[in-house]
Amino acid sequence: MSGAIVIGSERSEAGLPAAMEILARGGSALDAVEAGLRRCEDNLDDHYVGTGGLPNAQGVVELDASLMIGSSRAFGGVGAVKGFPNPISIARAVLERLPQHNLLVGPGAELFAEENGFERAELLTEESRKLFLAALQPSDESVEGERTAAQAGDELYRKTALDLVNRLAPHDGPWGTINILALDSSGELVVGVSTSGYPWKYPGRVGDSALPGAGNYADVRYGGAACTGRGELSMRALGARGIVADLARGLDPAEACLAMLADAATLPDEYRAELRCLALTPDGRHGAAAGQSGSVYVVMTESSTEPEFHPRSML
């Protein structure tokens, strides 16, 4: 055991200091992951999670989030949640207060949130509304929001989305999930994921972020993993579960992440776009992978004074 550590995907640096503050004082990985992701969800400069997230094809923000505890593999998730700014906290409430279920979606998740005292809020900000409309124009940037170069699937998705937006008549007025993985001083490992999903998505679309084994998986015996990017590919490849299975076989975190991306790359997908992943082991080793150069992930240990950026291995 190497001591408490927290890692995250791009843009998690907005939340990692809050997570490490909890871990450094002996707090739980579950508290740390929730606190870190709440900071990201509340960051109005981030248009891919929480308040200010980019909306679906009707101009409505729908949020997905999940948490998984490594020691028990207990899981709580929510999908297609409207009107509640912190889906990661609703996911934790599902995990702790509704143990007969793992996942709630749409109106059911919103009813559960109301019953548990979560407050409603308007999620579509004026800036995200403008981005929603402007970003449908032709672009050489990827849809997914990590400032990566567009692939053929990005432009096809953009064109398809424009047809869908026109058909569904959105309100007149780039997707990018955030992962946080934490290991606490007791040895508990927790993985959390939050996202507003693909912009311009069909209403009710739920991606890998809400699904155990796809966008999120944790097993304290071997490690935890999470994915960002093209969630449909991660769902088909069971990306996060595959990474943890490779950790169990003895691969190091970066190798396990690269193996998953290589497997996902074999799947036919005309909407193919960037898929990324990262992993953390029970002894504090970590790694990440991406399909494009310049990709990073974020790390903090108890000795860190600020978030540290590490390069991802490239497929």
Side-chain angles (χ1 to χ4, degrees), residues 6 140 150 207 261 275 279:
V6 59
D140 60 1
L261 292 187
L275 179 62

Side-chain angles (χ1 to χ4, degrees), residues 18-241:
M20 180 45 67
E21 181 181 355
I22 291 171
L23 295 174
R25 62 172 187 258
S28 74
L30 183 59
D31 287 344
V33 169
E34 181 189 13
L37 281 170
R38 282 183 66 101
R39 292 290 181 93
C40 296
E41 291 169 344
D42 292 339
N43 178 13
L44 296 182
D45 292 329
D46 193 320
H47 294 292
Y48 307 100
V49 295
T51 304
L54 292 177
N56 66 21
Q58 289 182 310
V60 178
V61 179
E62 293 182 318
L63 304 177
D64 303 340
S66 68
L67 285 159
M68 192 166 191
I69 300 175
S71 60
S72 61
R73 283 176 276 175
F75 181 88
V78 293
V81 172
K82 299 187 286 288
F84 290 92
N86 295 116
I88 196 63
S89 293
I90 307 172
R92 179 173 181 174
V94 171
L95 186 154
E96 295 180 326
R97 305 176 196 173
L98 202 68
Q100 68 270 39
H101 298 313
N102 288 151
L103 175 64
L104 296 177
V105 299
E110 295 155 22
L111 173 63
F112 177 77
E114 288 180 343
E115 288 181 335
N116 283 274
F118 291 96
E119 294 188 3
R120 285 189 174 273
E122 175 56 60
L123 302 183
L124 184 67
T125 64
E126 182 61 20
E127 184 179 2
S128 63
R129 188 189 70 82
K130 289 178 179 178
L131 287 170
F132 160 71
L133 295 173
L136 283 168
Q137 302 307 310
S139 173
D140 60 1
E141 292 187 357
S142 69
V143 176
E144 60 93 25
E146 303 292 2
R147 297 183 179 177
T148 55
Q151 300 179 43
D154 286 296
E155 187 56 30
L156 179 59
Y157 180 82
R158 202 183 301 270
K159 291 177 180 176
T160 305
L162 182 58
D163 291 340
L164 183 61
V165 167
N166 289 333
R167 178 160 61 86
L168 294 179
H171 300 287
D172 184 22
W175 50 277
T177 300
I178 293 182
N179 311 141
I180 294 182
L181 293 70
L183 182 68
D184 66 28
S185 58
S186 76
E188 184 62 272
L189 177 65
V190 173
V191 178
V193 184
S194 185
T195 189
S196 57
Y198 266 106
W200 329 302
K201 62 192 175 185
Y202 197 94
R205 178 264 186 184
V206 175
D208 65 324
S209 298
L211 303 179
N216 177 348
Y217 201 76
D219 185 333
V220 78
R221 297 173 296 176
Y222 313 117
C227 303
T228 62
R230 177 74 173 140
E232 278 72 8
L233 282 174
S234 183
M235 285 189 279
R236 292 165 64 194
L238 281 181
R241 179 65 179 87

